[in-house]
Amino acid sequence: MQVTLIVALVLHILSGVFWAGTTFVLARTGGSQADRFFRPQMGAATMAVVTGGLLWYLLHRGGSGTQEHILAVGALCALIAAGVQASSAQALRKLSAVGGSDEFRPSHRVATSQRIAAALLGITVVCMAAARYA
Ligand code: HEM
């Protein structure tokens, strides 16, 4: 139980840090090289959501207090962020097909989706960090 909890928390934080961190960078650079990050970001998002669900099961199953409300807001923002990023998959595929992002600027759509996802993941990080002490 304790080992499962520690492993889940470490994987959750590692994947969350990678996902949010790369999203913040891509939001700042207007989505430059976003095509290279798409798969790792979606992989990290999947890992963060799955381990987050496991942590919820282990620590907050059946709970409906302030902590759970704050965590739920953070989780919802993370899920929307994943959807927003996934929705630019087609634009990123086109970008890769025309020769890679070194020579071609990412589309406005890709840059906007990274900015929206960054704002949402910012809320997620605040909620996740604050929930324990609420
Ligand atoms: C659907 C998505 C997510 C769910 C369901 C979820 C759920 C949870 C749960 C249940 C915990 C344990 C809270 C506790 O210790 O009582 C937690 C902790 C944490 N989560 Fe998430 N999470 C999600 C996404 C994310 C993302 C995307 C990030 C980072 C960007 C993140 C960062 C963290 C951090 C840093 C902690 C540790 C907080 C602490 O130990 O004080 N989570 N999460």
mmCIF file of all heavy atoms in Angstrom, residues 9 12-13 15-17 19-21 45 48-57 59-60 67 71 74-76 78-79 121 124-125 128-133, ligand 1:
data_model
loop_
_atom_site.group_PDB
_atom_site.id
_atom_site.type_symbol
_atom_site.label_atom_id
_atom_site.label_comp_id
_atom_site.label_asym_id
_atom_site.label_seq_id
_atom_site.Cartn_x
_atom_site.Cartn_y
_atom_site.Cartn_z
ATOM 1 N N LEU A 9 2.681 8.383 -6.575
ATOM 2 C CA LEU A 9 2.893 9.824 -6.383
ATOM 3 C C LEU A 9 4.110 10.315 -7.167
ATOM 4 O O LEU A 9 4.069 11.368 -7.813
ATOM 5 C CB LEU A 9 3.045 10.137 -4.887
ATOM 6 C CG LEU A 9 3.033 11.610 -4.490
ATOM 7 C CD1 LEU A 9 1.724 12.268 -4.923
ATOM 8 C CD2 LEU A 9 3.202 11.778 -2.986
ATOM 9 N N HIS A 12 3.280 10.315 -10.795
ATOM 10 C CA HIS A 12 2.311 11.386 -11.027
ATOM 11 C C HIS A 12 3.022 12.742 -11.125
ATOM 12 O O HIS A 12 2.797 13.508 -12.060
ATOM 13 C CB HIS A 12 1.304 11.387 -9.877
ATOM 14 C CG HIS A 12 0.182 12.359 -10.039
ATOM 15 N ND1 HIS A 12 -0.760 12.236 -11.025
ATOM 16 C CD2 HIS A 12 -0.152 13.481 -9.355
ATOM 17 C CE1 HIS A 12 -1.626 13.232 -10.930
ATOM 18 N NE2 HIS A 12 -1.279 14.008 -9.930
ATOM 19 N N ILE A 13 3.898 12.991 -10.168
ATOM 20 C CA ILE A 13 4.584 14.285 -10.151
ATOM 21 C C ILE A 13 5.562 14.395 -11.324
ATOM 22 O O ILE A 13 5.630 15.436 -11.992
ATOM 23 C CB ILE A 13 5.274 14.516 -8.786
ATOM 24 C CG1 ILE A 13 4.195 14.671 -7.704
ATOM 25 C CG2 ILE A 13 6.159 15.759 -8.817
ATOM 26 C CD1 ILE A 13 4.705 14.784 -6.288
ATOM 27 N N SER A 15 5.463 12.874 -14.314
ATOM 28 C CA SER A 15 4.753 13.068 -15.588
ATOM 29 C C SER A 15 4.074 14.431 -15.630
ATOM 30 O O SER A 15 4.069 15.106 -16.669
ATOM 31 C CB SER A 15 3.747 11.932 -15.822
ATOM 32 O OG SER A 15 2.879 11.808 -14.720
ATOM 33 N N GLY A 16 3.534 14.872 -14.475
ATOM 34 C CA GLY A 16 2.874 16.180 -14.422
ATOM 35 C C GLY A 16 3.854 17.318 -14.657
ATOM 36 O O GLY A 16 3.564 18.266 -15.398
ATOM 37 N N VAL A 17 5.045 17.194 -14.050
ATOM 38 C CA VAL A 17 6.076 18.227 -14.225
ATOM 39 C C VAL A 17 6.483 18.325 -15.699
ATOM 40 O O VAL A 17 6.604 19.409 -16.266
ATOM 41 C CB VAL A 17 7.309 17.924 -13.331
ATOM 42 C CG1 VAL A 17 8.527 18.708 -13.771
ATOM 43 C CG2 VAL A 17 6.992 18.231 -11.881
ATOM 44 N N TRP A 19 4.770 17.319 -18.394
ATOM 45 C CA TRP A 19 3.642 17.793 -19.209
ATOM 46 C C TRP A 19 3.457 19.308 -19.054
ATOM 47 O O TRP A 19 3.456 20.055 -20.043
ATOM 48 C CB TRP A 19 2.379 17.043 -18.806
ATOM 49 C CG TRP A 19 1.148 17.404 -19.577
ATOM 50 C CD1 TRP A 19 1.094 18.014 -20.800
ATOM 51 C CD2 TRP A 19 -0.206 17.184 -19.178
ATOM 52 N NE1 TRP A 19 -0.225 18.179 -21.184
ATOM 53 C CE2 TRP A 19 -1.027 17.671 -20.212
ATOM 54 C CE3 TRP A 19 -0.800 16.618 -18.050
ATOM 55 C CZ2 TRP A 19 -2.429 17.615 -20.131
ATOM 56 C CZ3 TRP A 19 -2.184 16.545 -17.982
ATOM 57 C CH2 TRP A 19 -2.980 17.044 -19.011
ATOM 58 N N ALA A 20 3.362 19.753 -17.794
ATOM 59 C CA ALA A 20 3.133 21.188 -17.566
ATOM 60 C C ALA A 20 4.356 22.005 -18.009
ATOM 61 O O ALA A 20 4.209 23.048 -18.659
ATOM 62 C CB ALA A 20 2.821 21.435 -16.095
ATOM 63 N N GLY A 21 5.556 21.503 -17.691
ATOM 64 C CA GLY A 21 6.771 22.250 -18.032
ATOM 65 C C GLY A 21 6.932 22.465 -19.524
ATOM 66 O O GLY A 21 7.182 23.594 -19.971
ATOM 67 N N ALA A 45 0.681 13.089 -20.259
ATOM 68 C CA ALA A 45 -0.685 13.428 -19.832
ATOM 69 C C ALA A 45 -1.425 12.158 -19.420
ATOM 70 O O ALA A 45 -2.093 12.130 -18.380
ATOM 71 C CB ALA A 45 -1.426 14.135 -20.975
ATOM 72 N N ALA A 48 -0.098 11.028 -16.092
ATOM 73 C CA ALA A 48 -0.548 11.904 -15.000
ATOM 74 C C ALA A 48 -2.013 11.627 -14.640
ATOM 75 O O ALA A 48 -2.368 11.585 -13.457
ATOM 76 C CB ALA A 48 -0.357 13.375 -15.389
ATOM 77 N N VAL A 49 -2.832 11.410 -15.662
ATOM 78 C CA VAL A 49 -4.262 11.167 -15.407
ATOM 79 C C VAL A 49 -4.471 9.798 -14.747
ATOM 80 O O VAL A 49 -5.204 9.670 -13.759
ATOM 81 C CB VAL A 49 -5.080 11.278 -16.723
ATOM 82 C CG1 VAL A 49 -6.514 10.806 -16.505
ATOM 83 C CG2 VAL A 49 -5.073 12.716 -17.248
ATOM 84 N N VAL A 50 -3.772 8.762 -15.259
ATOM 85 C CA VAL A 50 -3.938 7.410 -14.698
ATOM 86 C C VAL A 50 -3.442 7.356 -13.247
ATOM 87 O O VAL A 50 -4.141 6.871 -12.349
ATOM 88 C CB VAL A 50 -3.207 6.359 -15.572
ATOM 89 C CG1 VAL A 50 -3.165 5.008 -14.879
ATOM 90 C CG2 VAL A 50 -3.904 6.229 -16.928
ATOM 91 N N THR A 51 -2.246 7.897 -13.002
ATOM 92 C CA THR A 51 -1.712 7.862 -11.626
ATOM 93 C C THR A 51 -2.530 8.781 -10.713
ATOM 94 O O THR A 51 -2.699 8.499 -9.529
ATOM 95 C CB THR A 51 -0.221 8.258 -11.583
ATOM 96 O OG1 THR A 51 -0.040 9.500 -12.284
ATOM 97 C CG2 THR A 51 0.659 7.202 -12.218
ATOM 98 N N GLY A 52 -3.050 9.890 -11.274
ATOM 99 C CA GLY A 52 -3.929 10.779 -10.487
ATOM 100 C C GLY A 52 -5.194 10.046 -10.064
ATOM 101 O O GLY A 52 -5.635 10.167 -8.913
ATOM 102 N N GLY A 53 -5.738 9.257 -10.981
ATOM 103 C CA GLY A 53 -6.927 8.457 -10.651
ATOM 104 C C GLY A 53 -6.617 7.444 -9.557
ATOM 105 O O GLY A 53 -7.401 7.234 -8.635
ATOM 106 N N LEU A 54 -5.405 6.826 -9.648
ATOM 107 C CA LEU A 54 -4.995 5.847 -8.637
ATOM 108 C C LEU A 54 -4.831 6.528 -7.270
ATOM 109 O O LEU A 54 -5.274 6.010 -6.239
ATOM 110 C CB LEU A 54 -3.687 5.174 -9.076
ATOM 111 C CG LEU A 54 -3.089 4.136 -8.126
ATOM 112 C CD1 LEU A 54 -4.078 2.993 -7.858
ATOM 113 C CD2 LEU A 54 -1.790 3.569 -8.702
ATOM 114 N N LEU A 55 -4.207 7.729 -7.273
ATOM 115 C CA LEU A 55 -4.035 8.459 -6.010
ATOM 116 C C LEU A 55 -5.386 8.826 -5.407
ATOM 117 O O LEU A 55 -5.578 8.767 -4.195
ATOM 118 C CB LEU A 55 -3.206 9.736 -6.249
ATOM 119 C CG LEU A 55 -1.712 9.518 -6.512
ATOM 120 C CD1 LEU A 55 -1.066 10.819 -6.970
ATOM 121 C CD2 LEU A 55 -1.009 9.000 -5.259
ATOM 122 N N TRP A 56 -6.295 9.202 -6.290
ATOM 123 C CA TRP A 56 -7.650 9.542 -5.804
ATOM 124 C C TRP A 56 -8.269 8.315 -5.123
ATOM 125 O O TRP A 56 -8.834 8.402 -4.032
ATOM 126 C CB TRP A 56 -8.528 10.009 -6.963
ATOM 127 C CG TRP A 56 -9.855 10.530 -6.493
ATOM 128 C CD1 TRP A 56 -10.899 9.800 -5.991
ATOM 129 C CD2 TRP A 56 -10.261 11.895 -6.422
ATOM 130 N NE1 TRP A 56 -11.932 10.624 -5.628
ATOM 131 C CE2 TRP A 56 -11.570 11.913 -5.881
ATOM 132 C CE3 TRP A 56 -9.646 13.109 -6.787
ATOM 133 C CZ2 TRP A 56 -12.278 13.103 -5.697
ATOM 134 C CZ3 TRP A 56 -10.361 14.282 -6.600
ATOM 135 C CH2 TRP A 56 -11.655 14.284 -6.052
ATOM 136 N N TYR A 57 -8.113 7.147 -5.784
ATOM 137 C CA TYR A 57 -8.673 5.905 -5.244
ATOM 138 C C TYR A 57 -8.028 5.576 -3.901
ATOM 139 O O TYR A 57 -8.706 5.186 -2.949
ATOM 140 C CB TYR A 57 -8.442 4.774 -6.254
ATOM 141 C CG TYR A 57 -8.903 3.430 -5.778
ATOM 142 C CD1 TYR A 57 -10.260 3.093 -5.806
ATOM 143 C CD2 TYR A 57 -7.990 2.499 -5.295
ATOM 144 C CE1 TYR A 57 -10.696 1.856 -5.357
ATOM 145 C CE2 TYR A 57 -8.424 1.254 -4.845
ATOM 146 C CZ TYR A 57 -9.768 0.943 -4.878
ATOM 147 O OH TYR A 57 -10.196 -0.285 -4.429
ATOM 148 N N LEU A 59 -6.360 7.644 -1.762
ATOM 149 C CA LEU A 59 -6.369 8.664 -0.696
ATOM 150 C C LEU A 59 -7.700 9.383 -0.494
ATOM 151 O O LEU A 59 -7.947 9.927 0.584
ATOM 152 C CB LEU A 59 -5.292 9.731 -0.983
ATOM 153 C CG LEU A 59 -3.838 9.266 -1.058
ATOM 154 C CD1 LEU A 59 -2.941 10.372 -1.589
ATOM 155 C CD2 LEU A 59 -3.365 8.826 0.332
ATOM 156 N N HIS A 60 -8.527 9.424 -1.534
ATOM 157 C CA HIS A 60 -9.728 10.277 -1.425
ATOM 158 C C HIS A 60 -11.015 9.579 -1.825
ATOM 159 O O HIS A 60 -12.029 10.245 -2.046
ATOM 160 C CB HIS A 60 -9.530 11.527 -2.296
ATOM 161 C CG HIS A 60 -8.397 12.389 -1.829
ATOM 162 N ND1 HIS A 60 -8.512 13.323 -0.833
ATOM 163 C CD2 HIS A 60 -7.095 12.406 -2.198
ATOM 164 C CE1 HIS A 60 -7.347 13.893 -0.625
ATOM 165 N NE2 HIS A 60 -6.461 13.350 -1.445
ATOM 166 N N GLN A 67 -10.885 19.466 0.197
ATOM 167 C CA GLN A 67 -9.712 18.924 -0.524
ATOM 168 C C GLN A 67 -10.132 18.285 -1.846
ATOM 169 O O GLN A 67 -9.511 18.522 -2.880
ATOM 170 C CB GLN A 67 -9.021 17.862 0.330
ATOM 171 C CG GLN A 67 -8.230 18.433 1.484
ATOM 172 C CD GLN A 67 -7.297 17.391 2.098
ATOM 173 O OE1 GLN A 67 -7.187 16.272 1.610
ATOM 174 N NE2 GLN A 67 -6.623 17.767 3.162
ATOM 175 N N LEU A 71 -9.088 19.375 -5.618
ATOM 176 C CA LEU A 71 -8.437 18.396 -6.511
ATOM 177 C C LEU A 71 -9.265 18.184 -7.776
ATOM 178 O O LEU A 71 -8.714 18.052 -8.875
ATOM 179 C CB LEU A 71 -8.253 17.056 -5.790
ATOM 180 C CG LEU A 71 -7.128 16.967 -4.758
ATOM 181 C CD1 LEU A 71 -7.241 15.666 -3.969
ATOM 182 C CD2 LEU A 71 -5.758 17.063 -5.422
ATOM 183 N N GLY A 74 -8.702 20.948 -10.228
ATOM 184 C CA GLY A 74 -7.399 20.766 -10.872
ATOM 185 C C GLY A 74 -7.437 19.654 -11.900
ATOM 186 O O GLY A 74 -6.907 19.785 -13.016
ATOM 187 N N ALA A 75 -8.068 18.532 -11.548
ATOM 188 C CA ALA A 75 -8.153 17.392 -12.466
ATOM 189 C C ALA A 75 -8.963 17.756 -13.708
ATOM 190 O O ALA A 75 -8.578 17.412 -14.831
ATOM 191 C CB ALA A 75 -8.782 16.196 -11.751
ATOM 192 N N LEU A 76 -10.054 18.490 -13.501
ATOM 193 C CA LEU A 76 -10.896 18.879 -14.649
ATOM 194 C C LEU A 76 -10.103 19.772 -15.614
ATOM 195 O O LEU A 76 -10.138 19.576 -16.835
ATOM 196 C CB LEU A 76 -12.156 19.605 -14.149
ATOM 197 C CG LEU A 76 -13.168 20.001 -15.220
ATOM 198 C CD1 LEU A 76 -13.761 18.751 -15.870
ATOM 199 C CD2 LEU A 76 -14.295 20.848 -14.616
ATOM 200 N N ALA A 78 -6.908 19.781 -15.998
ATOM 201 C CA ALA A 78 -5.913 18.935 -16.678
ATOM 202 C C ALA A 78 -6.557 18.170 -17.839
ATOM 203 O O ALA A 78 -5.974 18.073 -18.924
ATOM 204 C CB ALA A 78 -5.284 17.958 -15.685
ATOM 205 N N LEU A 79 -7.762 17.646 -17.618
ATOM 206 C CA LEU A 79 -8.436 16.883 -18.674
ATOM 207 C C LEU A 79 -8.780 17.782 -19.864
ATOM 208 O O LEU A 79 -8.616 17.397 -21.023
ATOM 209 C CB LEU A 79 -9.707 16.215 -18.126
ATOM 210 C CG LEU A 79 -9.469 15.061 -17.136
ATOM 211 C CD1 LEU A 79 -10.779 14.594 -16.520
ATOM 212 C CD2 LEU A 79 -8.751 13.899 -17.819
ATOM 213 N N LEU A 121 -3.182 24.185 -17.109
ATOM 214 C CA LEU A 121 -2.263 23.387 -16.292
ATOM 215 C C LEU A 121 -1.691 24.204 -15.135
ATOM 216 O O LEU A 121 -1.353 23.653 -14.087
ATOM 217 C CB LEU A 121 -1.151 22.793 -17.163
ATOM 218 C CG LEU A 121 -1.614 21.668 -18.089
ATOM 219 C CD1 LEU A 121 -0.494 21.225 -19.030
ATOM 220 C CD2 LEU A 121 -2.119 20.473 -17.294
ATOM 221 N N THR A 124 -4.162 23.724 -12.576
ATOM 222 C CA THR A 124 -4.017 22.355 -12.039
ATOM 223 C C THR A 124 -2.910 22.301 -10.986
ATOM 224 O O THR A 124 -3.108 21.766 -9.895
ATOM 225 C CB THR A 124 -3.684 21.356 -13.181
ATOM 226 O OG1 THR A 124 -4.742 21.361 -14.120
ATOM 227 C CG2 THR A 124 -3.492 19.943 -12.641
ATOM 228 N N VAL A 125 -1.750 22.867 -11.311
ATOM 229 C CA VAL A 125 -0.611 22.805 -10.378
ATOM 230 C C VAL A 125 -0.967 23.506 -9.071
ATOM 231 O O VAL A 125 -0.690 22.987 -7.970
ATOM 232 C CB VAL A 125 0.654 23.436 -11.015
ATOM 233 C CG1 VAL A 125 1.774 23.531 -9.998
ATOM 234 C CG2 VAL A 125 1.114 22.612 -12.217
ATOM 235 N N MET A 128 -3.406 21.240 -7.135
ATOM 236 C CA MET A 128 -2.756 20.038 -6.609
ATOM 237 C C MET A 128 -1.875 20.374 -5.401
ATOM 238 O O MET A 128 -1.828 19.633 -4.430
ATOM 239 C CB MET A 128 -1.885 19.374 -7.696
ATOM 240 C CG MET A 128 -2.650 18.835 -8.882
ATOM 241 S SD MET A 128 -3.550 17.348 -8.508
ATOM 242 C CE MET A 128 -4.940 17.521 -9.612
ATOM 243 N N ALA A 129 -1.162 21.500 -5.498
ATOM 244 C CA ALA A 129 -0.252 21.883 -4.412
ATOM 245 C C ALA A 129 -1.030 22.358 -3.184
ATOM 246 O O ALA A 129 -0.623 22.110 -2.045
ATOM 247 C CB ALA A 129 0.696 22.980 -4.893
ATOM 248 N N ALA A 130 -2.167 23.028 -3.389
ATOM 249 C CA ALA A 130 -2.909 23.643 -2.274
ATOM 250 C C ALA A 130 -3.844 22.657 -1.579
ATOM 251 O O ALA A 130 -4.107 22.799 -0.377
ATOM 252 C CB ALA A 130 -3.704 24.842 -2.792
ATOM 253 N N ALA A 131 -4.341 21.652 -2.307
ATOM 254 C CA ALA A 131 -5.425 20.798 -1.784
ATOM 255 C C ALA A 131 -5.099 20.174 -0.428
ATOM 256 O O ALA A 131 -5.927 20.169 0.475
ATOM 257 C CB ALA A 131 -5.748 19.712 -2.807
ATOM 258 N N ARG A 132 -3.884 19.663 -0.291
ATOM 259 C CA ARG A 132 -3.499 18.950 0.929
ATOM 260 C C ARG A 132 -3.660 19.817 2.193
ATOM 261 O O ARG A 132 -3.930 19.313 3.278
ATOM 262 C CB ARG A 132 -2.031 18.527 0.804
ATOM 263 C CG ARG A 132 -1.509 17.719 1.961
ATOM 264 C CD ARG A 132 -0.023 17.563 1.794
ATOM 265 N NE ARG A 132 0.297 16.608 0.739
ATOM 266 C CZ ARG A 132 0.770 15.399 0.987
ATOM 267 N NH1 ARG A 132 0.959 15.022 2.236
ATOM 268 N NH2 ARG A 132 1.062 14.584 0.019
ATOM 269 N N TYR A 133 -3.474 21.127 2.047
ATOM 270 C CA TYR A 133 -3.499 22.004 3.223
ATOM 271 C C TYR A 133 -4.820 22.744 3.379
ATOM 272 O O TYR A 133 -4.958 23.615 4.226
ATOM 273 C CB TYR A 133 -2.325 22.993 3.156
ATOM 274 C CG TYR A 133 -1.016 22.253 2.963
ATOM 275 C CD1 TYR A 133 -0.436 22.142 1.702
ATOM 276 C CD2 TYR A 133 -0.413 21.613 4.030
ATOM 277 C CE1 TYR A 133 0.729 21.419 1.504
ATOM 278 C CE2 TYR A 133 0.741 20.871 3.861
ATOM 279 C CZ TYR A 133 1.312 20.785 2.596
ATOM 280 O OH TYR A 133 2.454 20.048 2.417
HETATM 281 C C1 HEM B 1 -6.876 14.079 -14.128
HETATM 282 C C2 HEM B 1 -5.730 14.550 -13.683
HETATM 283 C C3 HEM B 1 -5.279 14.491 -12.239
HETATM 284 C C4 HEM B 1 -5.842 13.877 -11.141
HETATM 285 C C5 HEM B 1 -7.124 13.051 -11.052
HETATM 286 C C6 HEM B 1 -4.963 14.159 -10.019
HETATM 287 C C7 HEM B 1 -5.164 13.707 -8.724
HETATM 288 C C8 HEM B 1 -4.278 13.877 -7.685
HETATM 289 C C9 HEM B 1 -4.440 13.319 -6.359
HETATM 290 C C10 HEM B 1 -5.642 12.497 -5.882
HETATM 291 C C11 HEM B 1 -3.360 13.672 -5.623
HETATM 292 C C12 HEM B 1 -3.056 13.306 -4.154
HETATM 293 C C13 HEM B 1 -3.471 14.431 -3.242
HETATM 294 C C14 HEM B 1 -3.097 14.113 -1.797
HETATM 295 O O1 HEM B 1 -1.905 13.935 -1.476
HETATM 296 O O2 HEM B 1 -4.006 14.053 -0.969
HETATM 297 C C15 HEM B 1 -2.497 14.475 -6.477
HETATM 298 C C16 HEM B 1 -1.291 15.035 -6.086
HETATM 299 C C17 HEM B 1 -0.511 15.843 -6.867
HETATM 300 N N1 HEM B 1 -0.749 16.184 -8.187
HETATM 301 FE FE1 HEM B 1 -2.335 15.561 -9.319
HETATM 302 N N2 HEM B 1 -3.914 14.929 -10.459
HETATM 303 C C18 HEM B 1 -4.059 15.148 -11.800
HETATM 304 C C19 HEM B 1 -3.225 15.868 -12.622
HETATM 305 C C20 HEM B 1 -2.066 16.507 -12.209
HETATM 306 C C21 HEM B 1 -1.192 17.273 -13.058
HETATM 307 C C22 HEM B 1 -1.423 17.486 -14.551
HETATM 308 C C23 HEM B 1 -0.199 17.766 -12.280
HETATM 309 C C24 HEM B 1 0.964 18.642 -12.628
HETATM 310 C C25 HEM B 1 0.955 19.447 -13.618
HETATM 311 C C26 HEM B 1 -0.412 17.283 -10.933
HETATM 312 C C27 HEM B 1 0.405 17.543 -9.863
HETATM 313 C C28 HEM B 1 0.271 16.994 -8.607
HETATM 314 C C29 HEM B 1 1.201 17.184 -7.534
HETATM 315 C C30 HEM B 1 2.483 18.032 -7.575
HETATM 316 C C31 HEM B 1 0.702 16.467 -6.434
HETATM 317 C C32 HEM B 1 1.344 16.313 -5.060
HETATM 318 C C33 HEM B 1 0.679 17.238 -4.074
HETATM 319 C C34 HEM B 1 1.159 16.959 -2.667
HETATM 320 O O3 HEM B 1 1.682 15.872 -2.385
HETATM 321 O O4 HEM B 1 1.007 17.852 -1.831
HETATM 322 N N3 HEM B 1 -1.568 16.528 -10.933
HETATM 323 N N4 HEM B 1 -3.077 14.576 -7.723
#
